[in-house]
Amino acid sequence: MSWPVIRKSAAERAGANLEDYDAEAAAFDWAAARAELSGLPGGGLNIAHEALDRHVAAGGGDRTALRWIGRDDTVRDLSYAELTEQANRFASLLRSLDVKPGDRVYAVLGRIPELYVAALGTLKAGAVFTPLFSAFGPEPLQARMEIGEANVLVTTEALYHRKVEAWRDAIPSLRHLLLAGCPGAAPARCIDLEAALATADPVFETVATRPEDMALLHFTSGTTGRPKGAVHVHEAVVAHHVTGRTALDLRPGDIYWCTADPGWVTGTSYGIIAPLTNGVTLVVDEAEFDAERWRRILGEQKVTVWYTAPTAVRMLMKAWDSDPRPYDLPALRFMASVGEPLNPEAVLWGVEAFGRPFHDNWWQTETGGIMIANFASMDIKPGSMGRPLPGVTAGIVERAADGSVREALEPMALGELALRPDWPSILRGYLHEEERFRKCFASGWYLTGDLAMRDADGYYWFVGRADDVIKSAGHLIGPFEVESVLMEHPAVAEAAVIGLPDPIAGETVKAYVALRGGLEAGEPLRRDILGHARKRLGPAVAPRDIAFRQNLPKTRSGKLMRRLLKARELGLPEGDLSTLESEER
Ligand code: AMP
């Protein structure tokens, strides 16, 4: 089925930050983009300086930086000057704890003001900020803190007791635990963050980091091996800032709501950095998704730019089925979505319900910022991710047997989405994993691991992942991490994990398990294994369902053939089986 193109009017084009895509893409220059930022007074570049200090120095300190809405609807505003002062206190606290530039500060926090203070304070201190999903269970948290050699963890007292306390001593690098929300005293060997900030020095000179100094460490998942720590540097702020302006149409004075989880890269790049460098007011809602609450927040806060995700859009559509009241949001100017394929129905539902379409855009942890987007001024082809950002060269490539790649220039050729690796926020490495990093590049391209097509007008169309990684409700889930935890269960001999299509979450995780000899498959054991996985991995990552199998399909070299399990589950062609072990045929 082909969907109607959503045309933009002349007024919409003229009113957009990026007015003329072709002209601006042709003229774009990253050095000029860099000049939009001030840099540190004595030289160097620091993300927090661009997000905070720069505005305060220019007299913008009174503007609201953060409007926080608590679960109980309490509202707390922090101006740019106040957020700067809090971040200074956090940076002073780190210094008093002997945390040095380059040290790693992890945050496992929900959407509370301390998250923003910790992120910006860490960057001010020249340390490296790493957010993790608070929905992770103990296993994924510990693995990521081990790989990244965490020195400081900022979390809440409740999360600490539930998820960290039992193994904190297993991470030798971990020196300090700073806990938010400890009424009374902090637990043993932890620091009460609120009390410590109250006495910390509110004056702190932002550390003069260099553009290539590490600033952020974001974890992502691959098909094999442990999670990967993608290293990002301060220079990334140039891309955050520019893409915020062009792809999200942000401008000073906007009321901007990004609904991303703080543990996901979007929660940092577009939940903290890009909006603040662009001088907007960030709306932050502590609560989880609720269709009625979201409707209310959009209206009451007069949100002008809203950045959300397909799973949330689909949940809103579901709520709409039983309550189709149009949204009355005269202030709302631009709606964007990221993280998973946005179905054309959802784009058009935006027009029906909000009077404006959702603008899909594409990027990934490794790219640090938006790479392909539907811009405010550009016609939308529903189902397409849009066109490459000015300054970004994208291509569709095919891999040859010798490892080189060749660009496929014919329209709608299917291949891997690739990017020329020359934008400021590209990852600088996977921490301690040189070989995995090297494999991302071939013939002058960065290979994204996604399959896509480009049409004759230069619009990109997402087709699927080139690997077995699963995307569920926006979470990228590495099957290996889930399989490893399943295999810790005493009854499990082998496990394979795949993603199955789901109308709301995009995909859900399904596991196939072969039991140890002599064990009887049955409901009690199924429930026990599911419970084990939920406890160790957390509900966002654990399988929804488990099926028992005598054997799991493997190649002759012993690699799980997850694709075959998936094809069988979905009744699809099984493809080339020449490498399948003979007893599995
Ligand atoms: P993450 O690194 O967790 O942000 O996940 C990045 C991956 O999410 C990409 O490589 C894609 O597979 C998927 N993704 C992100 N944005 C989109 C989009 N607009 N359409 C389809 N898939 C997307």
Side-chain angles (χ1 to χ4, degrees), residues 264 339-341 360-365 450 462 465 471 476:
W264 182 29
E340 323 148 49
D360 187 19
N361 59 53
W362 178 97
W363 59 292
Q364 55 181 193
T365 304
D450 281 358
F462 181 81
R465 294 280 311 183
K471 242 302 137 120
L476 201 63

Side-chain angles (χ1 to χ4, degrees), residues 12 16 146 199 216 225 256 259 261 285 330 463:
E12 280 171 310
E146 222 165 67
T199 54
L216 303 162
Y256 166 74
T259 63
D261 189 290
D285 180 27
V463 174

Side-chain angles (χ1 to χ4, degrees), residues 15-135:
N17 283 345
L18 181 93
E19 216 181 304
D20 180 341
Y21 174 84
D22 291 313
E24 297 199 35
F28 191 86
D29 167 28
W30 282 112
R34 170 82 186 274
E36 289 178 29
L37 299 172
S38 66
L40 287 160
L45 187 69
N46 185 295
I47 294 173
H49 175 84
E50 304 303 334
L52 295 176
D53 305 347
R54 185 165 63 97
H55 301 299
V56 177
D62 290 343
R63 270 213 309 264
T64 306
L66 189 74
R67 162 154 293 192
W68 178 77
I69 307 166
R71 269 180 226 286
D72 61 359
D73 286 345
T74 318
V75 172
R76 186 173 157 204
D77 281 354
L78 282 172
S79 67
Y80 273 86
E82 287 165 337
L83 185 55
T84 305
E85 188 197 305
Q86 288 297 316
N88 282 347
R89 286 177 186 271
F90 191 90
S92 301
L93 171 62
L94 290 182
R95 186 170 282 169
S96 73
L97 295 171
D98 204 27
V99 175
K100 300 267 191 291
D103 283 358
R104 315 270 156 76
V105 179
Y106 278 58
V108 179
L109 291 170
R111 283 178 284 259
I112 55 175
E114 287 83 347
L115 169 77
Y116 302 84
V117 170
L120 294 157
T122 298
L123 294 167
K124 273 180 161 275
V128 176
F129 181 68
T130 300
L132 297 178
F133 287 109
S134 50

Side-chain angles (χ1 to χ4, degrees), residues 210-466:
R210 289 157 302 181
E212 288 303 312
D213 285 345
M214 184 166 160
L216 303 162
L217 180 67
H218 284 298
F219 281 90
T220 184
S221 301
T223 308
T224 55
R226 304 187 84 196
K228 303 179 274 191
V231 172
H232 290 284
V233 297
H234 282 274
E235 178 83 358
V237 68
V238 179
H240 297 147
H241 179 70
V242 171
T243 55
R245 177 165 57 70
T246 54
L248 298 181
D249 204 44
L250 292 175
R251 47 192 87 158
D254 265 330
I255 310 286
Y256 166 74
W257 188 20
C258 171
T259 63
D261 189 290
W264 182 29
V265 64
T266 307
T268 305
S269 296
Y270 298 98
I272 304 178
I273 301 171
L276 295 178
T277 65
N278 280 286
V280 315
T281 296
L282 260 177
V283 170
V284 174
D285 180 27
E286 186 188 16
E288 296 310 317
F289 174 85
D290 176 274
E292 202 41 48
R293 182 179 175 90
W294 280 31
R295 179 192 285 270
R296 183 161 58 79
I297 289 176
L298 286 165
E300 279 178 6
Q301 298 304 328
K302 301 189 171 54
V303 171
T304 55
V305 178
W306 180 32
Y307 196 22
T308 190
T311 295
V313 176
R314 290 189 289 261
M315 291 195 291
L316 289 172
M317 286 171 77
K318 200 165 162 216
W320 170 269
D321 285 342
S322 53
D323 179 15
R325 266 178 304 140
Y327 289 76
D328 179 21
L329 302 168
L332 188 60
R333 189 179 80 242
F334 190 71
M335 313 198 299
S337 157
V338 69
E340 323 148 49
L342 182 67
N343 25 329
E345 297 90 335
V347 177
L348 292 165
W349 174 74
V351 179
E352 185 190 348
F354 293 88
R356 46 186 73 68
F358 286 99
H359 294 74
D360 187 19
N361 59 53
W362 178 97
W363 59 292
Q364 55 181 193
T365 304
E366 286 84 346
T367 69
I370 300 170
M371 295 285 107
I372 295 180
N374 285 285
F375 300 90
S377 59
M378 219 166 70
D379 293 346
I380 296 181
K381 300 189 188 188
S384 161
M385 310 187 287
R387 298 173 74 186
L389 265 285
V392 171
T393 310
I396 299 293
V397 303
E398 287 159 358
R399 295 190 194 224
D402 66 357
S404 66
V405 305
R406 177 188 81 81
E407 190 174 3
L409 295 168
E410 325 77 71
M412 297 315 260
L414 173 63
E416 186 166 352
L417 176 61
L419 304 161
R420 291 289 184 200
D422 55 5
W423 71 95
S425 64
I426 185 172
L427 81 163
R428 300 304 197 263
Y430 291 125
L431 197 67
H432 310 313
E433 299 228 48
E434 185 53 37
E435 179 62 16
R436 263 173 134 181
F437 178 58
R438 220 177 35 76
K439 283 194 177 146
C440 297
F441 299 89
S443 313
W445 292 98
Y446 163 73
L447 305 168
T448 68
D450 281 358
L451 298 175
M453 300 183 294
R454 177 182 49 209
D455 70 18
D457 297 325
Y459 282 66
Y460 282 75
W461 299 78
F462 181 81
V463 174
R465 294 280 311 183

